[in-house]
Amino acid sequence: MKVNEKEMQMTFSTYAKGGLIAAKDFNKVIRAVGLNPTEASAAELKKKSGGGACDFDAFKKVVVPEMEKAKDNVDKIIDSFSVFDQDGSGLIPVTEFRHVLCTMGEALSQEEMAEVMSEVEPADGKIDYREFSNMIFGDE
């Protein structure tokens, strides 16, 4: 994922008061800049930033390396979905897609799953998992 520092600064400033973001807003801000960490990863990033209440420099120091790794994560996600792609078409059945998201890794709740499904456009009962992975986790 390309790091656009100016855009990151603007997003940070939206949440910052007096040049600092509050610890309670840390997870919102990391998601607002484009990261999608697990709760455990978000807690670790918060800890690395000094507990979450931080200025832009401390935030950037923790977040930029994570953003640079995000592209690798997209490739790993695509590889995970490809296991269910029987014919190598880049498509998997909606039922398999739901199963993967609800049972593997940090499983999605029913509400989260409904939100994801509102974003995807199945064609003939199948989902283009590459497009989905890049849309949700990539920088496209």
Side-chain angles (χ1 to χ4, degrees):
M1 175 181 288
K2 261 189 316 191
V3 177
N4 182 332
E5 191 173 323
K6 188 173 185 176
E7 192 174 298
M8 184 189 306
Q9 173 89 48
M10 288 173 41
T11 302
F12 181 90
S13 296
T14 301
Y15 292 90
K17 291 179 179 57
L20 299 173
I21 57 169
K24 68 180 180 63
D25 292 331
F26 186 84
N27 290 5
K28 280 188 241 177
V29 180
I30 59 174
R31 287 182 172 89
V33 299
L35 291 176
N36 192 25
T38 63
E39 289 301 318
S41 295
E44 186 62 31
L45 292 174
K46 185 185 247 186
K47 184 178 172 184
K48 286 181 183 177
S49 75
C54 60
D55 64 13
F56 181 69
D57 288 335
F59 180 80
K60 184 173 75 170
K61 185 177 181 181
V62 170
V63 171
V64 168
E66 295 300 313
M67 293 179 82
E68 290 171 345
K69 288 191 294 189
K71 179 61 182 151
D72 292 338
N73 292 339
V74 171
D75 293 339
K76 288 176 188 173
I77 291 164
I78 290 171
D79 287 346
S80 297
F81 279 120
S82 71
V83 171
F84 300 96
D85 182 4
Q86 301 279 322
D87 60 3
S89 66
L91 303 171
I92 59 173
V94 171
T95 54
E96 292 288 343
F97 180 78
R98 285 179 173 273
H99 174 74
V100 170
L101 294 181
C102 288
T103 60
M104 299 185 165
E106 191 168 315
L108 297 181
S109 68
Q110 291 300 322
E111 295 81 25
E112 292 167 328
M113 188 65 200
E115 187 176 332
V116 167
M117 292 307 294
S118 73
E119 295 292 323
V120 298
E121 297 177 19
D124 297 324
K126 295 188 175 191
I127 293 174
D128 182 329
Y129 60 87
R130 292 179 189 125
E131 182 180 306
F132 168 78
S133 298
N134 281 303
M135 176 182 70
I136 298 297
F137 302 104
D139 61 352
E140 296 180 356

